[in-house]
Amino acid sequence: MRYTGVCARGIVTPIFKSGDDLVTMICDSLCQASEQEGFSLGDGDIVAVTEAVVARTQNNYASFAQIAADLRGKFGGESLGAVFPIMSRNRFAVLPGIAKSAKKVYIQLSYPADEVGNALVSQSTLDRLKVNPYADSFDEAGFRAVFGYDTIHPFTGVDYIEFYKSVSDNIEIVFSNDPRHILKYTSNVLCCDVHSRRRTKALLREAGANVLGLDEILTASVDGSGYNPDYGLLGSNKAAEGSVKLFPRDCDLFVRKLQEALKARTGRHFEVLVYGDGGFKDPLGGIWELIDPVISPAYTPGLDGTPNELKLKFLADGELAGLSGAELSRAMRERIRTKDKNLVGQMVSEGTTPRKLPDLLGSLSDLVSGSGDRGTPVVLIQNYFTNYASE
């Protein structure tokens, strides 16, 4: 019998640079790890590759000047409102490009937190001061008069109001959870939110704004820049000073090429996905990890779908409660082998939320690889499709 279930290994690789043959180098790294550390590779194994190295080898970068050029061409260069940016120096690294694109830039921050939970003030502070975030809007002086200067981010130690203002002397900060508030200052609006962007755009367009989202900037190359036809500047983050790395493009082609190369190299059939941020929330700071537009921009067909799992403890405590030991194990395995192909809505699957497989695998991979100096941008996941009844 098997004695282990799902295993996920971070694979140490070279430091990938622009122009590198990513497919060949991943195959080399995976095979070397298998040979040197004594683990086998099998059919159904999953190779997950972080989006950062895909974009880096594609040279998918843009300078602030290139971002500004695209924005000026689309908004005219006089005034621009940037609504609901993520409060992260890494994730809103495009701000200098936005500031260069217009004579006057108004940044509208949501409060008490941004879309993914980065807080300016606490909910308890709103309650204590009797501020209604759905109705009350402020300019910077009004916001400071109510909340003071206790707006330091608990993790980074940064006051994002002061940080954003410091980027350029043509920036003004305002505060409101109604995207239409920006129209008091300008009719040209860049929606900088990620997952709520469609609603924000719809409200602004209905109000007569000239509106685009970050997903509509750099959808094609500008003055030789990188680009992303699907997500534009969404998913971008800080690169070197003066530029950002964009979310990778052509990922469908990449996962197919890597799958084919791994088959040719090992004789095994792998599934492959590209992953970005995982979909999980920090319980202390209340921050959602998912700032990329999707967890996985591309994956091979074998990863399409959702899990279809029974809840073992529900069966053990209910239907099979009278059994124990080997008899319980045999009955549980038989119950799994004969389960329905679609368990959605059945009590025996209660608590096994059918999330998309690429979202689950991408979140797992993000946790394994980390975002710092582990040096494992490739993750090997094995036994993912096994269960208690698997031989």
Side-chain angles (χ1 to χ4, degrees), residues 79 177-178 280 313 316:
S79 65
N177 291 307
D178 183 346
F280 43 85
K313 66 181 182 181

Side-chain angles (χ1 to χ4, degrees), residues 41-47 255-256 258-260 262-272 300-303 380-381 385:
L41 302 173
D43 289 321
D45 287 356
I46 300 165
V47 175
V255 296
R256 290 197 301 270
L258 182 54
Q259 184 182 53
E260 292 166 1
L262 287 167
K263 177 73 171 181
R265 183 77 171 264
T266 68
R268 302 295 189 179
H269 178 82
F270 289 79
E271 301 296 342
V272 178
T300 48
L303 299 180
L380 173 67
I381 302 169
F385 296 108

Side-chain angles (χ1 to χ4, degrees), residues 48 50 90 114 211 215 250 294 305-306 327 355 366:
T50 180
N90 179 39
D114 68 11
V211 57
D215 56 332
D250 303 323
V294 290
T306 59
E327 188 179 11
R355 300 178 179 92
D366 189 25

Side-chain angles (χ1 to χ4, degrees), residues 142-252:
F143 190 86
R144 291 298 194 190
V146 173
F147 297 105
Y149 284 80
D150 188 18
T151 51
I152 304 298
H153 192 283
F155 289 169
T156 66
V158 172
D159 185 320
Y160 284 97
I161 300 171
E162 296 301 317
F163 175 76
Y164 287 162
K165 280 171 53 183
S166 72
V167 168
S168 177
D169 58 10
N170 66 335
I171 290 176
E172 184 175 330
I173 312 289
V174 299
F175 305 83
S176 179
N177 291 307
D178 183 346
R180 295 163 293 194
H181 179 71
I182 198 69
L183 300 180
K184 294 182 178 181
Y185 303 90
T186 178
S187 61
N188 297 316
V189 185
L190 178 67
C191 295
C192 300
D193 45 348
V194 183
H195 308 297
S196 58
R197 65 188 185 275
R198 294 175 183 85
R199 175 180 181 270
T200 303
K201 289 181 193 178
L203 288 171
L204 284 162
R205 287 188 178 124
E206 186 179 1
N210 175 26
V211 57
L212 294 172
L214 284 177
D215 56 332
E216 296 169 280
I217 308 302
L218 288 189
T219 54
S221 182
V222 173
D223 298 334
S225 73
Y227 64 97
N228 189 302
D230 300 310
Y231 301 113
L233 286 175
L234 285 183
S236 64
N237 51 27
K238 188 176 179 64
E241 291 299 326
S243 67
V244 297
K245 178 194 67 62
L246 276 60
F247 212 49
R249 60 181 186 269
D250 303 323
C251 291
D252 286 329

Side-chain angles (χ1 to χ4, degrees), residues 276-295:
D277 288 335
F280 43 85
K281 183 178 182 179
D282 176 77
L284 179 62
I287 300 169
W288 287 99
E289 173 70 10
L290 183 56
I291 303 177
D292 287 329
V294 290
I295 294 176

Side-chain angles (χ1 to χ4, degrees), residues 310 315 319 331-339 348:
L310 296 171
L315 292 171
E319 181 181 323
M332 191 71 77
R333 290 188 171 96
E334 181 60 23
R335 189 70 173 80
I336 293 170
R337 293 188 190 102
T338 59
K339 66 184 176 183
V348 288

